[in-house]
């Protein structure tokens, strides 16, 4: 009875804290927002030929912050246009809904993009003080007394870590094993597994590709530009207009003779999925699939849980729409208790270990 009573008291405390938080958010919504200096900034399409030229009109999303509010360490390939939000604005401002993004590569024919040697924001940027003990705990979960993983175990863990639904091909897996200089391709150490997770080989991140939050007017103009370019088969930067609420929906994209399976439309979708997931978080979305939650945590792990929660409330309160309660939604874990992607990976491998135990006893979940 005492345990039940303590649990009920804990629930009441949590409910009281969340009520106070929601009250603060409501107060933020009611404050006066400035509306001056909102004229659209016209920019020439030629700036998309160069990252240096475009930097005048586009700002890294990691530099975004509301008036007297904090920032979020988003991956460096995410930007926003100054028509979407002007960093020079003063005072409290309403925040536009994030409906469209422009996926952009200045290279006119990136059929074989140069990959980053290591991811810009993922497992590789987690401190070894955290990652090494986390990998060692996976050994214990799987009951491997030798402290090693079979090649198949390592491949399954990497697939769970990267939220890959399709199996990693044999040739690609061999290439990945060779790239980390493992002593044995059949039995991998904890250090080998850590290097695999930190490698960019299985994720394909193009350093020349950016994704930009743009306004509806900018999206309409860019769509006409893309369609006109495709009709003339003209060369130019690779562009793709994506719908943020539906990662599989493309409003328009450039098509060139050299671009078939490669380039901005054929590259492994890790970078695109990560970008759209981050922009959904920026837009205040609360519902995510398990794979999307993994991508989001891997992108934002450099921030503290308190910072994520505060930032999320701030950006949501600045939008003119009904707010959704996140406390019971799928985003709750990264705003409450999951600090790094290794925390989530532990839970996934725990499920894998349980499944293996059931299978060994002829049982099923």
């Amino acid at each position: 009875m005492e345990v039940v009573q303590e649990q009920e008291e804990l629930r009441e405390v949590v409910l009281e804290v969340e009520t106070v938080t929601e009250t603060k958010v409501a107060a933020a919504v009611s404050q006066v927002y400035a509306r001056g200096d909102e004229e659209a900034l016209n920019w020439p399409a030629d700036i998309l030929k160069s990252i240096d030229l475009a930097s005048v009109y586009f700002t890294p999303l990691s530099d975004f912050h509301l008036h007297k509010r904090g920032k979020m360490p988003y991956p460096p390939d995410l930007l926003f246009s100054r028509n979407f939000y002007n960093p020079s604005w003063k005072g409290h401002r309403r925040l536009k809904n994030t409906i469209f993004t422009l996926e952009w590569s200045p290279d006119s024919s990136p059929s074989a993009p140069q990959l980053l040697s290591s991811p810009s924001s993922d497992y590789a940027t987690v401190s070894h003080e955290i990652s090494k003990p986390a990998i060692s705990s996976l050994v214990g979960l799987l009951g491997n007394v030798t402290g090693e993983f079979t090649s198949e175990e390592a491949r399954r863990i990497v697939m769970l870590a990267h939220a890959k639904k399709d199996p990693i091909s044999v040739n690609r897996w061999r290439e990945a094993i060779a790239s980390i200089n493992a002593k044995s391709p059949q039995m991998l150490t904890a250090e080998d597994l850590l290097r695999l997770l930190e490698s960019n080989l299985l994720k394909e991140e193009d350093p020349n590709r950016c994704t930009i939050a743009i306004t509806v007017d900018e999206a309409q103009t860019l769509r006409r530009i893309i369609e006109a370019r495709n009709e003339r088969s003209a060369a130019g930067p690779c562009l793709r207009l994506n719908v943020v609420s539906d990662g599989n929906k493309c409003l328009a994209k450039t098509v060139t003779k050299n671009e078939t399976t490669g380039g901005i439309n054929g590259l492994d979708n890790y970078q695109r999925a990560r970008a759209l997931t981050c922009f959904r978080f920026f837009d205040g979305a609360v519902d995510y699939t398990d794979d999307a939650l993994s991508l989001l945590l891997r992108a934002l792990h450099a921030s503290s849980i308190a910072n994520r929660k505060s930032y999320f409330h701030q950006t949501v309160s600045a939008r003119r729409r009904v707010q959704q309660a996140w406390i019971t939604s799928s985003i709750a874990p990264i705003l409450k208790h999951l600090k790094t992607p290794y925390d989530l990976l532990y839970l996934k491998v725990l499920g894998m270990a349980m499944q293996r135990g059931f299978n060994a006893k002829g049982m099923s979940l």
Side-chain angles (χ1 to χ4, degrees):
M1 290 294 293
E2 293 181 0
V3 174
V4 173
Q5 184 176 358
E6 289 178 357
Q7 291 177 341
E8 289 297 329
E9 291 176 353
L10 181 60
R11 289 194 190 98
E12 290 178 1
V13 170
V14 172
L15 181 60
E16 181 180 351
V17 171
E18 293 302 329
T19 301
V20 171
T21 301
E22 294 300 329
T23 301
K24 291 181 178 179
V25 171
V29 172
S30 64
Q31 60 192 342
V32 177
Y33 290 88
R35 293 300 307 271
D37 193 27
E38 292 188 351
E39 295 79 10
L41 175 66
N42 296 322
W43 49 269
D46 285 347
I47 67 168
L48 296 175
K49 296 178 180 179
S50 166
I51 291 179
D52 292 336
L53 291 174
S55 63
V56 177
Y57 299 92
F58 305 137
T59 306
L61 191 62
S62 57
D63 288 339
F64 170 86
H65 66 91
L66 295 168
H67 181 59
K68 296 183 179 181
R69 297 293 186 266
K71 301 177 182 179
M72 180 61 54
Y74 288 105
D77 60 315
L78 305 185
L79 313 171
F80 64 93
S81 79
R82 298 207 169 196
N83 286 323
F84 183 88
Y85 190 90
N86 193 329
S88 65
W89 281 339
K90 304 296 183 183
H92 296 286
R93 296 278 179 160
R94 284 289 187 187
L95 190 55
K96 294 180 176 68
N97 293 332
T98 316
I99 301 174
F100 300 111
T101 60
L102 172 65
E103 195 173 334
W104 160 57
S105 174
D107 194 343
S108 61
S109 57
S111 56
Q114 178 185 1
L115 301 181
L116 290 174
S117 58
S118 62
S120 59
S121 180
D122 210 298
Y123 290 97
T125 52
V126 178
S127 166
H128 279 182
E129 293 179 358
I130 296 173
S131 61
K132 287 185 175 180
I135 292 295
S136 297
S137 68
L138 301 185
V139 178
L141 274 182
L142 296 174
N144 295 347
V145 294
T146 63
E148 296 179 323
F149 303 89
T150 66
S151 178
E152 183 56 30
E153 282 177 337
R155 181 159 65 164
R156 288 189 63 189
I157 291 173
V158 169
M159 287 180 63
L160 289 174
H162 292 172
K164 283 184 174 291
K165 295 180 180 179
D166 299 326
I168 302 172
S169 69
V170 174
N171 290 338
R172 201 172 184 196
W173 181 247
R174 287 175 179 170
E175 185 181 357
I177 296 296
S179 72
I180 63 169
N181 298 317
K183 292 182 179 179
S184 169
Q186 302 304 322
M187 296 298 297
L188 304 179
T189 66
E191 288 288 338
D192 292 334
L193 181 58
L194 181 59
R195 286 198 295 271
L196 279 171
L197 290 178
E198 293 180 344
S199 167
N200 195 42
L201 183 65
L202 296 173
K203 292 186 289 294
E204 293 189 341
E205 190 174 358
D206 183 357
N208 296 317
R209 176 161 48 156
C210 297
T211 304
I212 311 163
I214 56 177
T215 66
V216 173
D217 288 341
E218 286 174 322
Q220 291 174 341
T221 301
L222 285 165
R223 183 178 187 177
R224 290 194 290 269
I225 291 173
I226 291 172
E227 290 173 349
R229 239 188 69 188
N230 288 340
E231 289 178 1
R232 301 194 309 270
S233 298
C238 286
L239 308 173
R240 177 185 170 111
L241 289 173
N242 296 316
V243 180
V244 172
S245 61
D246 184 351
N248 296 319
K249 188 171 182 179
C250 172
L251 191 66
K253 62 183 179 182
T254 55
V255 178
T256 66
K257 294 179 180 178
N258 295 331
E259 187 175 3
T260 53
T261 59
I264 204 167
N265 299 316
L267 191 64
D268 182 86
N269 65 1
Y270 157 76
Q271 195 170 356
R272 178 176 302 141
R274 185 186 68 178
L276 291 174
T277 301
C278 285
F279 277 118
R280 289 193 69 234
F281 176 81
F282 177 66
D283 195 48
V286 298
D287 295 317
Y288 298 83
T289 64
D290 289 343
D291 292 348
L293 198 66
S294 173
L295 280 169
L296 186 59
L297 185 57
R298 287 152 59 191
L300 303 182
H301 69 79
S303 62
S304 67
I305 293 176
N307 186 29
R308 288 177 217 153
K309 184 176 178 180
S310 174
Y311 181 92
F312 186 78
H313 276 299
Q314 291 164 7
T315 53
V316 167
S317 66
R319 288 187 166 88
R320 194 188 302 275
R321 65 185 183 206
V322 177
Q323 298 176 33
Q324 296 176 287
W326 62 265
I327 195 69
T328 56
S329 67
S330 57
I331 199 178
I334 74 167
L335 299 181
K336 292 177 65 177
H337 58 81
L338 291 180
K339 295 181 180 179
T340 75
Y342 285 99
D343 295 330
L344 183 57
L345 180 59
Y346 181 89
L347 298 177
K348 291 184 176 183
V349 176
L350 176 61
M352 170 181 158
M354 292 175 63
Q355 181 67 63
R356 190 169 70 173
F358 280 120
N359 292 343
K361 295 182 179 180
M363 304 168 62
S364 61
L365 290 174

